[in-house]
Amino acid sequence: MFKGILIEKDDGGYRAALTDISEDSLPEGDVTLDVSYSTLNYKDGLAITGASPVVRSFPMVPGVDLVGTVQDSRDPEFKVGDQVLLNGWGVGEVHWGGLAQKARLQGRWLIPLPSAFTPAQAMAIGTAGYTAMLSVIALEKHGVTPDKGEILVTGANGGVGSFAIALLARLGYAVVASTGRVAESDYLKQLGAAEIIDRATLSEPGRPLAKERWAGAIDSVGSHTLANICASTRYRGTVAACGLAQGMEFPGSVAPFILRGVTLAGIDSVNRPREDRLEAWARLASDLDQSLLPLISHEIGLSEVLEVAPQILAGKVRGRVVVNLAR
């Protein structure tokens, strides 16, 4: 038996509970792990509270990230004792995820834990940092270099936003951070933001084209915010879209794309090919200032997950939540 968060839906309703789970209940997979750390992401908050139909099969263990040690393996890539890392691949949605002390997964979903990071550090980064790195790489591949101008980062106090600011600033970009919590400007400036703006300046319906400002942007908000960003992106700039906190609709115009040659780059972190994952984590090892991790993240125990999940959805949690499965 091991402890984990289990979500169930039946005639009694939708509920999540910390409970004892039998190892015999683990789903199919060719690698079994002892999980040491996981995370609590926005998507996990949706799954645990039932605020959105994230979970597509029941019962379900949430948790889109995990680090663990191989207990048993039928995949030749991994042997007993290896430390491995997982982000995405539908775990916590269609396959049991990381918020339990054991996991059974497909070996092709795993990558080795980078030697630059401890398990706790890797989860402080997690899907948020990995997604931010994928977004930065997308800007680079579309020719957005530091000399081109300001880069906007929305959802700046969240996990993706925090890492995007830290990475871009270290790479020499001038970063403007958009947030609904302007009172936390000091935190964003510590990460490297040069300017802070209120998210309200972007979140309402706007014009098809606005004054050019951004050389590029990393947006985790979507909806009117994304449309307004595109409308004010400079000629041949690039916007990396990686989230939908405001909504999944795109109430915008084709004008920025046709008249200014703006690129809208979609960032999928869930089903990303292995080589992209390895590249992103290698870049995180070289480009992330690890001294910022205690500022961006904090640790809780498995027993605190159910209490913290709704706080994430309410926007009351700054940065990253690391879950220690031993607590």
Side-chain angles (χ1 to χ4, degrees):
M1 302 292 285
F2 59 93
K3 291 195 175 296
I5 304 294
L6 195 66
I7 301 171
E8 297 184 274
K9 183 181 181 182
D10 52 29
D11 292 342
Y14 188 104
R15 59 195 179 278
L18 174 60
T19 188
D20 291 316
I21 304 171
S22 167
E23 193 163 341
D24 294 337
S25 301
L26 287 170
E28 297 258 333
D30 50 19
V31 180
T32 304
L33 305 177
D34 290 313
V35 182
S36 53
Y37 288 89
S38 184
T39 64
L40 192 59
N41 292 283
Y42 190 85
K43 185 180 285 186
D44 301 319
L46 293 173
I48 289 168
T49 62
S52 181
V54 169
V55 178
R56 284 171 275 171
S57 66
F58 297 90
M60 178 59 59
V61 172
V64 303
D65 293 319
L66 64 84
V67 164
T69 303
V70 175
Q71 173 191 311
D72 181 70
S73 176
R74 291 181 283 109
D75 185 321
E77 184 81 17
F78 302 105
K79 64 182 185 302
V80 174
D82 285 349
Q83 288 193 303
V84 294
L85 166 68
L86 179 141
N87 307 114
W89 289 117
V91 299
E93 300 175 67
V94 296
H95 190 98
W96 284 19
L99 287 171
Q101 292 171 329
K102 288 189 182 292
R104 185 170 293 139
L105 305 153
Q106 300 298 326
R108 63 185 178 85
W109 299 341
L110 307 172
I111 64 170
L113 175 67
S115 59
F117 303 119
T118 66
Q121 287 175 326
M123 287 295 93
I125 297 166
T127 284
Y130 155 64
T131 301
M133 191 73 251
L134 290 173
S135 301
V136 171
I137 291 171
L139 295 185
E140 292 174 340
K141 288 183 176 178
H142 284 90
V144 181
T145 50
D147 60 297
K148 295 292 177 64
E150 295 175 313
I151 307 298
L152 175 69
V153 175
T154 64
N157 275 292
V160 174
S162 294
F163 280 104
I165 293 167
L167 289 164
L168 288 165
R170 196 174 194 203
L171 291 167
Y173 291 87
V175 184
V176 177
S178 168
T179 179
R181 288 177 273 171
V182 178
E184 296 199 19
S185 293
D186 286 347
Y187 163 71
L188 300 174
K189 289 179 179 176
Q190 283 180 274
L191 295 178
E195 183 182 343
I196 317 297
I197 62 173
D198 194 308
R199 70 181 179 195
T201 62
L202 295 164
S203 60
E204 298 299 322
R207 294 180 292 172
L209 278 178
K211 183 179 179 181
E212 295 179 60
R213 179 168 183 184
W214 319 115
I218 295 177
D219 175 57
S220 58
V221 177
S223 189
H224 290 291
T225 297
L226 178 57
N228 287 325
I229 293 168
C230 292
S232 53
T233 295
R234 295 167 65 173
Y235 182 71
R236 300 199 72 181
T238 296
V239 179
C242 59
L244 42 73
Q246 187 180 3
M248 68 171 61
E249 72 278 5
F250 181 63
S253 163
V254 298
F257 312 115
I258 295 172
L259 300 179
R260 292 182 182 161
V262 170
T263 295
L264 180 57
I267 306 299
D268 163 54
S269 61
V270 174
N271 298 302
R272 205 74 178 209
R274 181 182 176 88
E275 57 268 26
D276 289 2
R277 295 168 182 270
L278 293 172
E279 178 188 10
W281 279 96
R283 287 287 304 276
L284 284 161
S286 65
D287 296 344
L288 179 66
D289 181 355
Q290 294 185 30
S291 69
L292 293 174
L293 290 177
L295 178 66
I296 296 174
S297 65
H298 69 280
E299 184 179 299
I300 65 172
L302 188 59
S303 61
E304 300 168 82
V305 165
L306 297 179
E307 176 186 349
V308 176
Q311 296 175 21
I312 285 185
L313 300 189
K316 296 179 179 178
V317 176
R318 186 177 79 185
R320 298 280 296 151
V321 180
V322 179
V323 182
N324 185 338
L325 274 298
R327 285 176 50 189

